[in-house]
Amino acid sequence: MKLTTKGRYGLRAVIDLAVNYENEAVALSQIAERQGISVNYLEQLIAKLKKSGIVDSVRGAQGGYVLAMPPEEISVGDILRALEGDLNPVDCYELNSNEPPCSNADTCVTKYVWKRISDSINAVVNEIKLSDLVAESRRVQAEAGSTQVNQPKQTC
Amino acid sequence: MKLTTKGRYGLRAVIDLAVNYENEAVALSQIAERQGISVNYLEQLIAKLKKSGIVDSVRGAQGGYVLAMPPEEISVGDILRALEGDLNPVDCYELNSNEPPCSNADTCVTKYVWKRISDSINAVVNEIKLSDLVAESRRVQAEAGSTQVNQPKQTC
DNA sequence: GTTAATACCGAGTAAATTAATAGGGATTAA
DNA sequence: TTAATCCCTATTAATTTACTCGGTATTAAC
C-alpha cells in the first residue's frame, strides 16, 4: 500500500517546476539536480506527465518543461494518477471497468471495502491543488531562511 | 498503491472465519478450500492475525481458529494493518516515528499530502467493522441463492 | 551551418519484493 | 496410538521496481 518513487519523485518534480517557473521553460537537468534525482529516471516520469497533459515541453537548446495549466487547475490526484496509474487499493472491475470482470462478483463483499478506500483516497488528492503546495513551499522556504543546507537525499 | 495478496486473502479468510463460526474452531484447511488459497500460504497470513490478537488458535485435532473478539469489535483497519503493516502511502517519519527522520523535513511539502491520504485511508477502514461485512455477506449469499457455482478463483 | 543544449525513445539490468512451496515439529481429541 | 491440526523456518520462482545506458531529434545561439 505504498506509492512508488514514480509518484514521490514525480510530485516533487512538478512542485519544483511550478515553484521555479518564471516565463521560461525549466530544463530537466535543473530539476534533477535540485531534487537529487537522476536525469534519466526523471525523463521517464516527466514523459508520463506530458502524456497526461500536465506539462508541456519545449524542445531544443534553452528548452525544458512548463506546466500545461495554471497550478490551481492541477490537482495532486491528476499528478499521482498520471505517474502511478489508478489509485485503487486492488485491481477490481467494480473500481475500474478496464479490469476483467470477477467471477466472484455476486458474492464478493470486500469490493465495498475497496470502493470506500478508493473513493476516500481520490477525494483527498483531488482536493489538494498544486497551487496549495506551491504556496506552502514558499512559506516553509521563507521560514527555513538562509540556515538551510542542500540535502537533496530524502526518504519520502 | 495496491494491497498485496496478504491483505486481500487475509481479509477474506477472516470474513470466512466469522461467517462460518458456530461455537467451534474452524480449520485452516476449510477456509483454504472455500477461498481457493493454499493452506501453507494461509498459515503465514493467519500467523500475523494471531500475533495481532485478532484470532485465537485451538491446537490439536478438531482444532482451528476462532475470532479473538466479537466481530463488531474488529475493524477492517485492524485486519489490514495486521496483514500489510501500516497503511501509509509512503515511509515517512511524519506518519510513523519508527521511520528514520528525513533530512529534508524542514522544507518538505509533500508530507502534508501523505498525511492527509494516510488519515483518510485509516479513517475509512477503522469505521468498517467485521460485523458489517458478515451481515453483507449473509445478505448477498441469500440473494445469490442456490444458483451459485463454486468459483473460488478471483481477481480482487 | 555548426555546435551545444536540450527533449525524446527504447532496451537492458540489478535489486527488492511478493507470492508462494516445501518439509518437518508440536499438540491434542478420538 | 493415530490422525488432524496448528506452528515454524527455509527456499524459490515470478514479478515489479528503480534505475542505467546509449542513442536520435530538435532548436537557440554563435
Side-chain angles (χ1 to χ4, degrees), chain B residues 45-65:
Chain B
L45 311 185
I46 205 108
K48 287 171 182 278
L49 294 164
K50 192 185 172 190
K51 204 170 162 190
S52 299
I54 291 169
V55 302
D56 279 337
S57 64
V58 180
R59 300 193 69 173
Q62 298 358 294
Y65 291 91

Side-chain angles (χ1 to χ4, degrees), chain B:
Chain B
M1 203 57 181
K2 293 281 187 278
L3 292 171
T4 67
T5 55
K6 290 197 187 79
R8 295 193 282 121
Y9 294 179
L11 177 57
R12 273 163 51 200
V14 176
I15 295 169
D16 186 287
L17 187 58
V19 166
N20 293 286
Y21 167 77
E22 275 158 23
N23 304 319
E24 281 175 5
V26 179
L28 221 47
S29 55
Q30 294 174 35
I31 299 177
E33 193 181 15
R34 277 193 294 260
Q35 300 297 327
I37 305 168
S38 96
V39 175
N40 278 317
Y41 192 42
L42 202 47
E43 274 182 349
Q44 295 176 27
L45 311 185
I46 205 108
K48 287 171 182 278
L49 294 164
K50 192 185 172 190
K51 204 170 162 190
S52 299
I54 291 169
V55 302
D56 279 337
S57 64
V58 180
R59 300 193 69 173
Q62 298 358 294
Y65 291 91
V66 289
L67 296 178
M69 290 170 283
E72 42 281 341
E73 290 178 23
I74 301 173
S75 76
V76 170
D78 297 331
I79 297 166
L80 292 181
R81 281 185 297 265
L83 293 159
E84 296 273 344
D86 69 54
L87 298 176
N88 299 331
V90 297
D91 291 328
C92 169
Y93 183 76
E94 305 289 324
L95 302 181
N96 176 355
S97 45
N98 292 334
E99 297 297 329
C102 187
S103 65
N104 203 44
D106 298 358
T107 56
C108 174
V109 298
T110 57
K111 68 186 176 193
Y112 300 112
V113 175
W114 313 143
K115 179 88 168 73
R116 290 186 60 182
I117 294 174
S118 175
D119 286 350
S120 81
I121 293 171
N122 282 286
V124 163
V125 295
N126 289 344
E127 194 180 285
I128 306 175
K129 306 301 179 188
L130 183 53
S131 49
D132 301 328
L133 298 180
V134 170
E136 185 63 21
S137 173
R138 297 228 155 94
R139 200 179 64 72
V140 297
Q141 287 291 342
E143 270 187 13
S146 56
T147 59
Q148 69 178 309
V149 273
N150 192 24
Q151 285 172 318
K153 220 56 181 175
Q154 52 198 279
T155 57
C156 70

Side-chain angles (χ1 to χ4, degrees), chain A residues 51-73:
Chain A
K51 204 170 162 192
S52 298
I54 292 169
V55 302
D56 279 337
S57 64
V58 179
R59 300 193 69 172
Q62 297 0 293
Y65 291 91
V66 288
L67 295 179
M69 290 170 283
E72 40 284 338
E73 290 178 23

Side-chain angles (χ1 to χ4, degrees), chain A residues 54 68-76 78 126 128-131:
Chain A
I54 292 169
M69 290 170 283
E72 40 284 338
E73 290 178 23
I74 301 172
S75 76
V76 170
D78 298 330
N126 289 344
I128 307 174
K129 307 300 179 189
L130 183 54
S131 49

